Every structure is written in C-alpha cells, then in structure tokens.
Amino acid sequence: MPKPEVDPTVSLRLGVDRTSPVPLYFQLSQQLETAIERGELTPGSLLGNEIELAGRLGLSRPTVRQAIQSLVDKGLLVRRRGVGTQVVHSQVKRPMELTSLYDDLEAAGQRPATRLLANTLVPASAEVAAALGVAEGSEVHRIERLRLAHGEPVAHLRNHLPVGLFDLDGDRLESTGLYRLMRAAGITLHSARQSVGARTATAAEGDRLDEREGAPLLTMRRTTFDDTGRAVEYGDHTYRASRYSFEFQLLVRS
Amino acid sequence: MPKPEVDPTVSLRLGVDRTSPVPLYFQLSQQLETAIERGELTPGSLLGNEIELAGRLGLSRPTVRQAIQSLVDKGLLVRRRGVGTQVVHSQVKRPMELTSLYDDLEAAGQRPATRLLANTLVPASAEVAAALGVAEGSEVHRIERLRLAHGEPVAHLRNHLPVGLFDLDGDRLESTGLYRLMRAAGITLHSARQSVGARTATAAEGDRLDEREGAPLLTMRRTTFDDTGRAVEYGDHTYRASRYSFEFQLLVRS
DNA sequence: GTCAATGGTTTGTCCGGACAATCGAACTTC
DNA sequence: GAAGTTCGATTGTCCGGACAAACCATTGAC
C-alpha cells in the first residue's frame, strides 16, 4: 500500500524576495508561521526534509535550518533526527513575555485606561534602593497608577524608577503603558526578575480597587533590567483576583 | 590615554576536546557559562571578537557563534553589531521553567515531602475532559497530594491524567515529583498552558493546609503537553500564600 | 564649536559542502 | 512468529569563506 503522505509545503506558496532587506531566514520562518496559524500546515504533519526544501526555495540548507530553528524555539515545530520536522499539535498561544498590563488588556480587547494617582520624587527606601541599585535615601521617581478595564479597576500599580532615565510625562502615562514609554525612549529591555504571590486586601487597598477588606489580591513584584544590566524599574503591583489572573505558556527548554 | 581593556577570555583556560562526543559548541558554551558564574568574566566586559576567538581555539566561526548564541538565548550575553559581545550585568537566576514544585523545593533545600491523599480512577468532568482532550465521562486518573516542606503543608495538588500513559505507583508518587516520573516513563514534556490566580480559602481548604478560613491562597491551573501535542496532565493546585510565591526570571525575546 | 563625512571594527546573514548520529522500516535469521 | 541486523532517510554538527549592516571614534568642513 503506497503512502500518499506528501510534503505539505509543496502546495504552499513559499518563496523569498531577495531584493528585500528582510533576512531570508526570517521571511521563510514568517511564511511557515502564518501557514501554521492558518491551518495550512496541519498539526502532526511532516515538513519535508531540509535539503529538498532548500533546493526548492533556492536557499542554502543553513538558511532553511535557521528559519526552522526559530520556530522550534517558539515551540511551533519539533525536530527528530532520522524522522523529520513536525508541526506541534499546538494549544500554543504565547509564551510568557515581558509585557505591560496595558498591552495585555488592549490585546484582549478590554479597553484599558489609567488613572494617575501620583508622580513624584521620593527618597529611596531600603527595599527600593536594593532593587534599583542606588543609594538608600537618594531620589527616585515614584509613580502610582490605577489600571481600569471597561471602567472597572483591575490593578493598583506602584513603580519606582531611577532619575534621569527618561521624561516621565503625566499625560503619556495615562494614555499608554510604562514599557512602551521606555522602549520609545531608546531603552532596550532585557530581563526581569518577578515574584508572584497572594494576600488579602487591607481596608485601604479595598477602597482603591473597589473590593471589600479581606478580598483576595494577586501580587506581583518585578525588577526590570535593560541590556546593560541597569535596573530601570521596580514595580509593586496588586491585582483584583476576582478580575485578573496571569495566563501564559511555558516551553521546555531542552 | 591608552585603554588597557584586554580580551578577558585570553586568560581563561578555554579549549575543546575533539575526542569527546560532546559537541564542540556545547563544550565552549559550558566553559563560558561557568566562567561567568565564577566571576572570571566580569559583567559588562567585552568578549573579544568571534573571528579571533575562533582562531585561538582552533574552531570555525560558526561553531563559536553557536556557542555564544546559546548563551545569548539564556540571557547571559548581549551582542551588538559593531561593538562586540558583552557579559550581562546579571541578576540572572533562572528563567521560568516547566518544573515540578517538588524539584523547586528540593533545589531550595526545603526538604520536600508528599502525602498521597487519593489515587483513583474517576469519570472525567467537563472541565477535565476539555483540558485533556478526552470524552466527558471517560475514565481518567485522579491524584490528590499534599506537599510539605519542613513538615509544614505548602500546597494541595490535584492532578488528572489520561489512562494508559504510565504506571502510577503510589510509593513513587510519595517519594518524588510527578514530572520526574513522566520523564522517567519516556514522555518528552514540551509545553504547558498555565493560569495563576488567587482566592481565599474555604473552611475545608483551610483544614487541609493548616490555614484559617478566608486565608489567601495562590492558585495555579496547568495543562501540560508532550512533544506530540497530547495533553499528558491537568493540574489544579492551591498554595498557601503565606508560605509560597512564584519566583522567576523573564527574558525579552527579540 | 558644531555638525557631517569617513573609516575601521564587529556582528549579521548567506553560501556550499562534508561527515556523524539517530530513527524507523524492511529484511534476515533462528 | 520473534528477535536481531542492515540500510535508507533525516537531522546534528562542523568547516571555510564572502559580503552586508551597524556602531563608534576620528577626522574634516563650515
């Protein structure tokens, strides 16, 4: 019985534009990714071997491998030596990224809004100084914001930032997220150290978030670093557990 | 004024063993990683250009690049075109991985223990069936465990698993983590979809975890998939917020 | 003094080739 | 029929080279 299993990439309109400044491997990986998203490459199907694929596209094998590897890193493909490359049966949504709550809510169609509660300079407490790597008592920015979705409070965000990093404009703080402002100021975010916990609301916290005293809160503390290793932000956030939870995908790094 | 900034890798004892079955790029990346951990490569220092490094080690540039790239992916190094490769000023600990609580506690020296509360076969509820991709009402394993650290309860773990995946031995469930058992059974874990939230404890939950009713709990729901896309586990866990929080590192994928 | 042009350094991308390691299936042997 | 063997297929690793793109410091022009 002949196996009618053909390389599913042959029917795809794959092809690269060599006049484009976009790297070839990136063009290919994007085309493959959209094909997977659209279901044109069905989960579990083999991809056809690299050498043949390279020949058909007029690319070298290293270039094709680079494209495939980037999708393997994203968790969309799985390679097996001696077998081939398969599309993962994916419930894959998105790995946990370093995004701001604002972008998350906006992507979910939740119409985020921000109410700026405070934007001042304060002496750094011991905790803040340790996180930001500055001297205790030295001046740092302190921002407090209330984040709303559909007009309802979702989270209380308190952030401390070193001075002189970029312009903290009150208007812009209300119209977008902090991370977007930092990126726009030329800061390259690199990594963050996070701690997620829970506690019950005090009376004051309850007032702020429209919850009762004793209501469950999700807490997140985060120190963010840029690619030079500087701490650029320290955040201490509380979320209404009734309105928010962290959703994310984890990949096994092998 | 002359800059005495020399390539710090020259003083390192770097070298590869070509008779070893370990890939050359892996040998190099490990040597670099340990050098960074030991502080022999200080944060912020340049690494010396790839071509010269390759020549010194008797390797090709692609191999050296592969080694460096793996450390960039781990967040230990940063590359800049026209500048060089720098060691990140790292607070880097560990990116969020797909680990079991058992391993986490053990790594932290917390002497974990497990009390097996239940290990039965039950018909799948709608929620479990949807998560595991089986028919509602079909039989699935149900495990309930209490996780202790230093003899104190830390978390209540309820897991559902499809039948026929591997042998669920009660003794082994008490002596190690679930993920270790799965890996030992030849299952290749690939990814997981997680949701982290908070709520207050009911009276029954309080009893189990040695907390009062109304105490804050951290909740985590997780569906884990293997590399074929099968759901291999669905977990519904509650942690004592007073004793546990999630600590992890996030990297910006660029 | 300030700004623009220049050039050197370094990483980014891409090529073509070679051999090894691993997997699965077909085949052989008992 | 079952177990071991062989073999083709596919990815993993490694090499050497070439040019492009981006960054930084220096130089030059105004």
Side-chain angles (χ1 to χ4, degrees):
Chain A
M1 191 170 74
K3 253 199 206 163
E5 204 166 284
V6 270
D7 179 355
T9 60
V10 295
S11 57
L12 257 50
R13 255 186 257 109
L14 293 176
V16 295
D17 174 12
R18 284 188 177 272
T19 68
S20 162
V22 178
L24 302 180
Y25 78 91
F26 193 76
Q27 293 183 38
L28 178 55
S29 72
Q30 279 202 320
Q31 288 175 23
L32 290 175
E33 186 169 355
T34 61
I36 292 171
E37 274 175 10
R38 289 188 198 162
E40 294 165 13
L41 285 176
T42 58
S45 61
L46 270 308
L47 210 62
N49 77 64
E50 299 167 349
I51 299 178
E52 188 268 346
L53 188 57
R56 187 144 48 80
L57 295 173
L59 296 171
S60 70
R61 189 182 164 211
T63 302
V64 172
R65 273 184 71 79
Q66 195 173 359
I68 291 176
Q69 188 59 46
S70 72
L71 297 182
V72 171
D73 291 341
K74 280 190 182 178
L76 271 57
L77 297 177
V78 177
R79 318 172 91 144
R80 276 182 226 263
R81 195 189 299 209
V83 180
T85 305
Q86 275 181 301
V87 180
V88 167
H89 249 118
S90 53
Q91 296 261 351
V92 175
K93 297 214 170 168
R94 204 190 51 179
M96 192 157 193
E97 284 174 45
L98 192 50
T99 58
S100 69
L101 176 59
Y102 191 91
D103 294 345
D104 285 349
L105 292 173
E106 196 171 55
Q110 300 260 6
R111 306 206 155 275
T114 308
R115 193 176 302 155
L116 188 60
L117 304 178
N119 181 8
T120 60
L121 286 168
V122 298
S125 67
E127 183 190 351
V128 170
L132 293 180
V134 300
E136 188 174 343
S138 66
E139 278 204 327
V140 292
H141 287 285
R142 177 201 178 102
I143 309 170
E144 282 198 48
R145 294 168 294 165
L146 196 66
R147 182 80 84 218
L148 313 169
H150 293 305
E152 288 246 352
V154 172
H156 175 258
L157 315 171
R158 177 165 50 215
N159 292 86
H160 289 87
L161 294 87
V163 291
L165 205 60
F166 69 104
D167 188 36
L168 277 171
D169 183 35
D171 288 347
R172 266 182 300 201
L173 276 174
E174 293 217 317
S175 65
T176 185
L178 185 59
Y179 280 11
R180 240 188 250 179
L181 287 179
M182 290 206 264
R183 275 188 250 258
I187 298 172
T188 308
L189 266 30
H190 177 261
S191 64
R193 181 122 186 79
Q194 294 199 174
S195 173
V196 172
R199 68 159 185 270
T200 48
T202 65
E205 285 174 329
D207 281 349
R208 275 196 309 235
L209 291 172
D210 202 13
E211 288 271 0
R212 300 182 323 279
E213 183 178 353
L217 297 178
L218 201 52
T219 66
M220 198 261 282
R221 252 199 290 263
R222 168 157 73 184
T223 311
T224 311
F225 303 90
D226 73 358
D227 58 358
T228 68
R230 282 185 309 183
V232 294
E233 177 253 341
Y234 174 65
D236 191 348
H237 304 170
T238 57
Y239 305 82
R240 296 173 72 179
S242 57
R243 299 294 167 108
Y244 191 76
S245 61
F246 292 104
E247 309 271 341
F248 53 92
Q249 175 104 12
L250 280 190
L251 294 177
V252 176
R253 63 166 192 175
S254 51
Chain B
M1 191 168 71
K3 252 199 207 161
E5 203 165 290
V6 270
D7 179 355
T9 59
V10 295
S11 57
L12 256 49
R13 257 185 256 110
L14 292 176
V16 294
D17 174 12
R18 284 187 178 272
T19 68
S20 163
V22 179
L24 302 180
Y25 78 90
F26 193 76
Q27 293 185 37
L28 177 56
S29 71
Q30 277 203 321
Q31 288 177 22
L32 290 174
E33 187 169 355
T34 60
I36 292 171
E37 273 176 9
R38 290 189 197 161
E40 295 165 16
L41 285 176
T42 58
S45 61
L46 270 307
L47 210 62
N49 77 64
E50 299 168 350
I51 299 178
E52 186 267 344
L53 187 55
R56 187 144 47 81
L57 295 173
L59 295 172
S60 71
R61 192 184 163 211
T63 302
V64 172
R65 274 184 71 77
Q66 195 174 359
I68 291 176
Q69 187 60 46
S70 72
L71 297 181
V72 171
D73 292 340
K74 280 190 183 178
L76 271 57
L77 298 176
V78 177
R79 319 170 89 143
R80 276 182 228 264
R81 195 187 299 206
V83 180
T85 304
Q86 277 181 301
V87 180
V88 167
H89 248 119
S90 53
Q91 298 263 348
V92 176
K93 295 214 173 169
R94 202 192 52 179
M96 192 156 192
E97 283 175 47
L98 191 51
T99 57
S100 68
L101 175 60
Y102 190 92
D103 293 345
D104 286 349
L105 292 174
E106 194 170 56
Q110 300 260 6
R111 302 206 157 274
T114 307
R115 194 175 302 155
L116 187 59
L117 304 179
N119 180 10
T120 61
L121 285 168
V122 298
S125 67
E127 182 190 354
V128 170
L132 293 181
V134 299
E136 188 175 343
S138 65
E139 278 204 326
V140 294
H141 287 285
R142 175 201 179 102
I143 308 171
E144 281 197 50
R145 293 168 295 165
L146 195 67
R147 184 77 85 221
L148 315 167
H150 291 307
E152 288 246 353
V154 172
H156 175 258
L157 315 171
R158 178 165 49 218
N159 291 86
H160 288 86
L161 293 88
V163 290
L165 205 61
F166 70 104
D167 187 38
L168 277 170
D169 182 36
D171 287 346
R172 266 182 300 200
L173 275 173
E174 293 215 318
S175 65
T176 185
L178 185 59
Y179 280 11
R180 243 187 249 178
L181 286 180
M182 290 207 263
R183 275 189 251 258
I187 298 173
T188 310
L189 266 30
H190 176 262
S191 63
R193 180 123 187 79
Q194 294 199 174
S195 174
V196 173
R199 69 158 184 270
T200 48
T202 64
E205 285 174 329
D207 280 350
R208 275 197 305 237
L209 291 170
D210 203 13
E211 288 271 0
R212 297 183 324 278
E213 182 178 352
L217 299 178
L218 200 53
T219 67
M220 197 260 281
R221 253 201 288 265
R222 167 158 75 183
T223 310
T224 311
F225 304 90
D226 73 357
D227 59 358
T228 70
R230 283 185 309 183
V232 294
E233 179 252 344
Y234 174 66
D236 191 349
H237 304 170
T238 56
Y239 304 82
R240 297 174 73 179
S242 58
R243 298 293 168 109
Y244 192 76
S245 61
F246 292 104
E247 310 271 341
F248 53 93
Q249 176 106 11
L250 281 189
L251 294 176
V252 176
R253 61 163 196 176
S254 52

XYZ file of all heavy atoms in Angstrom, chain A residues 18 22-25 58-63 66 81-83, chain C residues 12-26:
428
model
N 14.565 38.344 -2.682
C 15.971 38.649 -2.422
C 16.287 40.135 -2.498
O 17.385 40.559 -2.116
C 16.866 37.903 -3.424
C 16.981 36.435 -3.077
C 17.998 35.728 -3.910
N 18.108 34.341 -3.488
C 18.921 33.937 -2.524
N 19.710 34.779 -1.919
N 18.957 32.676 -2.178
N 14.691 42.377 4.416
C 14.346 41.398 5.450
C 15.159 40.128 5.214
O 15.200 39.626 4.088
C 12.842 41.073 5.409
C 12.501 40.026 6.459
C 12.012 42.323 5.608
N 15.817 39.639 6.267
C 16.632 38.422 6.099
C 15.822 37.267 5.523
O 14.640 37.111 5.831
C 17.079 38.100 7.525
C 17.040 39.398 8.231
C 15.933 40.192 7.605
N 16.474 36.473 4.703
C 15.792 35.371 4.033
C 15.217 34.375 5.028
O 14.089 33.909 4.888
C 16.775 34.664 3.093
C 17.418 35.543 2.017
C 18.346 34.715 1.166
C 16.373 36.228 1.177
N 16.016 34.038 6.048
C 15.523 33.052 7.005
C 14.288 33.577 7.726
O 13.389 32.819 8.070
C 16.617 32.690 8.013
C 16.828 33.705 9.098
C 16.129 33.614 10.287
C 17.719 34.774 8.937
C 16.310 34.541 11.288
C 17.891 35.694 9.919
C 17.190 35.586 11.097
O 17.371 36.513 12.082
N 15.494 27.596 -3.467
C 16.689 28.288 -3.927
C 17.496 28.879 -2.791
O 18.165 29.897 -2.947
N 17.419 28.222 -1.637
C 18.176 28.686 -0.479
C 19.172 27.615 -0.080
O 19.081 26.467 -0.511
C 17.237 28.955 0.705
C 16.214 30.080 0.529
C 15.230 30.089 1.678
C 16.927 31.420 0.440
N 20.107 28.002 0.761
C 21.046 27.010 1.276
C 20.437 26.330 2.496
O 19.514 26.852 3.122
C 22.355 27.673 1.668
O 22.175 28.461 2.814
N 20.974 25.179 2.819
C 20.422 24.461 3.971
C 20.600 25.234 5.279
O 19.669 25.251 6.101
C 21.084 23.071 4.069
C 20.405 22.209 5.095
C 21.083 20.868 5.241
N 20.653 20.232 6.480
C 21.396 19.419 7.209
N 22.612 19.127 6.817
N 20.936 18.899 8.308
N 21.747 25.854 5.540
C 21.852 26.619 6.790
C 20.767 27.680 6.935
O 20.255 27.905 8.037
C 23.236 27.264 6.690
C 24.021 26.318 5.845
C 23.046 25.770 4.840
N 20.408 28.321 5.849
C 19.368 29.350 5.925
C 18.023 28.727 6.281
O 17.282 29.236 7.127
C 19.273 30.094 4.584
O 20.537 30.663 4.280
C 18.232 31.188 4.659
N 18.017 27.776 9.888
C 17.859 28.923 10.779
C 16.394 29.301 10.904
O 15.914 29.635 11.988
C 18.678 30.105 10.239
C 18.874 31.216 11.255
C 19.822 32.282 10.771
O 20.359 32.181 9.666
N 20.025 33.307 11.570
N 15.711 13.640 14.791
C 16.742 13.138 13.902
C 16.294 11.803 13.302
O 15.782 10.957 14.012
C 18.037 12.942 14.694
C 19.236 12.762 13.830
C 20.432 12.363 14.656
N 20.790 13.361 15.659
C 22.021 13.523 16.095
N 23.001 12.814 15.592
N 22.285 14.407 17.015
N 16.481 11.647 12.049
C 16.098 10.414 11.382
C 14.626 10.341 11.033
O 14.192 9.423 10.350
N 13.853 11.294 11.489
C 12.420 11.289 11.219
C 12.025 12.486 10.377
O 11.527 12.348 9.260
C 11.615 11.290 12.533
C 10.136 11.284 12.242
C 12.016 10.100 13.381
P 25.120 39.383 15.997
O 23.910 39.725 16.771
O 25.714 38.040 16.118
O 24.806 39.663 14.450
C 23.968 40.756 14.110
C 23.444 40.597 12.694
O 24.548 40.703 11.767
C 22.775 39.249 12.404
O 21.578 39.462 11.679
C 23.806 38.489 11.605
C 24.571 39.597 10.891
N 25.968 39.267 10.633
C 26.914 38.897 11.561
N 28.082 38.672 11.038
C 27.903 38.913 9.682
C 28.820 38.831 8.602
O 30.010 38.515 8.631
N 28.228 39.154 7.388
C 26.911 39.521 7.238
N 26.509 39.806 6.000
N 26.044 39.610 8.235
C 26.606 39.288 9.421
P 20.629 38.249 11.348
O 19.275 38.807 11.204
O 20.908 37.136 12.277
O 21.130 37.824 9.896
C 20.983 38.739 8.830
C 21.633 38.198 7.581
O 23.046 38.017 7.805
C 21.103 36.837 7.121
O 20.508 37.009 5.850
C 22.337 35.937 7.074
C 23.471 36.951 7.006
N 24.790 36.498 7.511
C 25.855 36.439 6.651
O 25.770 36.730 5.479
N 27.031 36.021 7.217
C 27.238 35.665 8.532
O 28.348 35.304 8.918
C 26.087 35.755 9.386
C 26.215 35.403 10.844
C 24.925 36.172 8.846
P 19.606 35.878 5.200
O 18.707 36.519 4.221
O 19.081 35.053 6.298
O 20.652 35.015 4.387
C 21.314 35.595 3.268
C 22.423 34.699 2.796
O 23.484 34.680 3.762
C 22.042 33.222 2.629
O 21.769 32.973 1.252
C 23.276 32.456 3.128
C 24.276 33.560 3.484
N 25.138 33.260 4.653
C 26.516 33.116 4.470
O 26.979 33.247 3.346
N 27.292 32.831 5.549
C 26.743 32.708 6.756
N 27.561 32.433 7.780
C 25.350 32.853 6.966
C 24.578 33.126 5.900
P 21.353 31.559 0.734
O 20.610 31.755 -0.524
O 20.774 30.801 1.843
O 22.755 30.922 0.360
C 23.597 31.593 -0.571
C 24.951 30.941 -0.625
O 25.601 31.102 0.652
C 24.910 29.428 -0.859
O 25.241 29.135 -2.204
C 25.957 28.854 0.095
C 26.530 30.052 0.811
N 26.711 29.831 2.273
C 27.972 29.499 2.749
O 28.909 29.393 1.948
N 28.136 29.292 4.091
C 27.093 29.428 4.905
N 27.298 29.232 6.197
C 25.802 29.767 4.431
C 25.643 29.957 3.121
P 24.601 27.880 -2.930
O 24.525 28.236 -4.353
O 23.408 27.436 -2.192
O 25.711 26.749 -2.750
C 27.050 26.997 -3.120
C 27.936 25.969 -2.476
O 28.094 26.295 -1.083
C 27.358 24.547 -2.509
O 28.163 23.720 -3.342
C 27.336 24.087 -1.054
C 28.210 25.096 -0.344
N 27.778 25.361 1.026
C 26.518 25.717 1.446
N 26.436 25.878 2.741
C 27.720 25.602 3.202
C 28.234 25.603 4.523
O 27.647 25.858 5.579
N 29.580 25.267 4.554
C 30.332 24.960 3.439
N 31.605 24.669 3.664
N 29.867 24.959 2.200
C 28.557 25.279 2.159
P 27.822 22.178 -3.529
O 28.393 21.819 -4.824
O 26.393 21.935 -3.232
O 28.683 21.470 -2.386
C 30.037 21.869 -2.207
C 30.558 21.341 -0.900
O 29.897 22.013 0.190
C 30.322 19.846 -0.661
O 31.548 19.145 -0.773
C 29.757 19.760 0.751
C 29.954 21.150 1.309
N 28.921 21.545 2.258
C 27.619 21.887 1.975
N 26.931 22.190 3.053
C 27.838 22.019 4.093
C 27.663 22.191 5.492
O 26.658 22.526 6.101
N 28.831 21.919 6.192
C 30.012 21.534 5.609
N 31.034 21.312 6.432
N 30.193 21.376 4.317
C 29.064 21.631 3.619
P 31.521 17.538 -0.916
O 32.721 17.193 -1.700
O 30.183 17.108 -1.361
O 31.734 17.025 0.583
C 32.894 17.435 1.291
C 32.755 17.030 2.732
O 31.697 17.811 3.324
C 32.349 15.559 2.912
O 33.460 14.826 3.408
C 31.216 15.615 3.957
C 31.148 17.067 4.388
N 29.790 17.569 4.608
C 28.805 17.764 3.683
N 27.691 18.237 4.182
C 27.965 18.351 5.543
C 27.189 18.787 6.630
N 25.928 19.210 6.511
N 27.757 18.774 7.857
C 29.026 18.346 7.956
N 29.849 17.920 7.014
C 29.254 17.943 5.812
P 33.403 13.226 3.326
O 34.811 12.786 3.214
O 32.395 12.795 2.353
O 32.888 12.841 4.790
C 33.627 13.284 5.914
C 32.748 13.235 7.152
O 31.596 14.076 6.974
C 32.196 11.846 7.511
O 32.684 11.492 8.787
C 30.675 12.028 7.501
C 30.541 13.526 7.731
N 29.255 14.106 7.265
C 28.425 14.721 8.190
O 28.775 14.770 9.377
N 27.237 15.258 7.781
C 26.899 15.196 6.497
N 25.735 15.722 6.128
C 27.742 14.566 5.528
C 28.901 14.043 5.946
P 32.350 10.058 9.410
O 33.610 9.532 9.966
O 31.588 9.273 8.421
O 31.376 10.429 10.617
C 31.706 11.523 11.479
C 30.607 11.753 12.492
O 29.486 12.416 11.863
C 30.046 10.484 13.134
O 29.787 10.732 14.502
C 28.762 10.238 12.346
C 28.304 11.651 12.031
N 27.535 11.784 10.791
C 27.914 11.390 9.548
N 27.019 11.645 8.624
C 25.988 12.265 9.315
C 24.743 12.778 8.903
N 24.322 12.759 7.644
N 23.946 13.315 9.844
C 24.377 13.337 11.112
N 25.521 12.884 11.614
C 26.289 12.348 10.651
P 29.416 9.557 15.470
O 30.124 9.807 16.740
O 29.564 8.275 14.757
O 27.862 9.819 15.706
C 27.451 11.060 16.260
C 25.938 11.090 16.393
O 25.342 11.228 15.086
C 25.315 9.836 17.017
O 24.320 10.239 17.936
C 24.746 9.086 15.820
C 24.364 10.226 14.887
N 24.394 9.893 13.457
C 25.361 9.207 12.785
N 25.125 9.075 11.494
C 23.917 9.730 11.318
C 23.123 9.951 10.178
N 23.445 9.525 8.952
N 21.979 10.633 10.332
C 21.648 11.070 11.572
N 22.316 10.924 12.714
C 23.454 10.234 12.511
P 23.668 9.200 18.914
O 23.511 9.911 20.191
O 24.393 7.916 18.807
O 22.216 8.980 18.293
C 21.404 10.122 18.053
C 20.284 9.761 17.118
O 20.813 9.465 15.815
C 19.482 8.522 17.527
O 18.200 8.964 17.909
C 19.486 7.635 16.278
C 19.895 8.616 15.190
N 20.586 8.034 14.001
C 20.024 8.215 12.767
O 18.982 8.812 12.594
N 20.731 7.666 11.721
C 21.926 6.968 11.805
O 22.467 6.531 10.794
C 22.455 6.818 13.127
C 23.736 6.092 13.312
C 21.775 7.351 14.165
P 17.198 8.020 18.668
O 16.510 8.831 19.677
O 17.882 6.767 19.027
O 16.127 7.673 17.514
C 15.520 8.757 16.804
C 14.904 8.227 15.531
O 15.945 7.849 14.619
C 14.018 6.989 15.731
O 12.681 7.330 15.440
C 14.603 5.949 14.772
C 15.490 6.764 13.840
N 16.697 6.042 13.343
C 16.907 5.895 11.969
O 16.074 6.356 11.182
N 18.013 5.239 11.537
C 18.892 4.766 12.419
N 19.969 4.146 11.933
C 18.703 4.913 13.823
C 17.602 5.548 14.253
P 11.527 6.328 15.822
O 10.351 7.138 16.161
O 12.073 5.343 16.784
O 11.246 5.583 14.451
C 11.054 6.370 13.282
C 10.990 5.481 12.064
O 12.321 5.009 11.749
C 10.133 4.213 12.230
O 9.376 4.027 11.052
C 11.149 3.108 12.435
C 12.323 3.609 11.595
N 13.626 3.140 12.049
C 14.073 3.005 13.341
N 15.299 2.568 13.432
C 15.685 2.395 12.114
C 16.917 1.937 11.569
O 17.932 1.594 12.182
N 16.889 1.919 10.184
C 15.818 2.290 9.407
N 15.967 2.209 8.089
N 14.660 2.718 9.901
C 14.675 2.740 11.250
P 8.155 2.974 11.090
O 6.928 3.773 10.905
O 8.300 2.070 12.247
O 8.417 2.127 9.766
C 8.956 2.779 8.616
C 9.768 1.798 7.806
O 11.034 1.557 8.475
C 9.109 0.423 7.640
O 9.221 -0.006 6.297
C 9.924 -0.476 8.571
C 11.291 0.175 8.484
N 12.155 -0.110 9.624
C 11.836 -0.028 10.951
N 12.827 -0.341 11.755
C 13.865 -0.650 10.900
C 15.192 -1.060 11.126
N 15.712 -1.228 12.333
N 15.972 -1.279 10.045
C 15.453 -1.110 8.829
N 14.217 -0.724 8.490
C 13.479 -0.508 9.584
P 8.221 -1.118 5.750
O 7.266 -0.427 4.877
O 7.742 -1.947 6.882
O 9.182 -2.025 4.865
C 10.277 -1.425 4.180
C 11.458 -2.352 4.191
O 12.044 -2.348 5.519
C 11.113 -3.818 3.883
O 11.922 -4.290 2.822
C 11.397 -4.558 5.194
C 12.418 -3.661 5.865
N 12.421 -3.748 7.327
C 11.369 -3.546 8.177
N 11.668 -3.687 9.454
C 13.019 -3.996 9.437
C 13.944 -4.263 10.471
N 13.625 -4.259 11.765
N 15.210 -4.536 10.114
C 15.525 -4.541 8.818
N 14.756 -4.305 7.743
C 13.496 -4.036 8.135
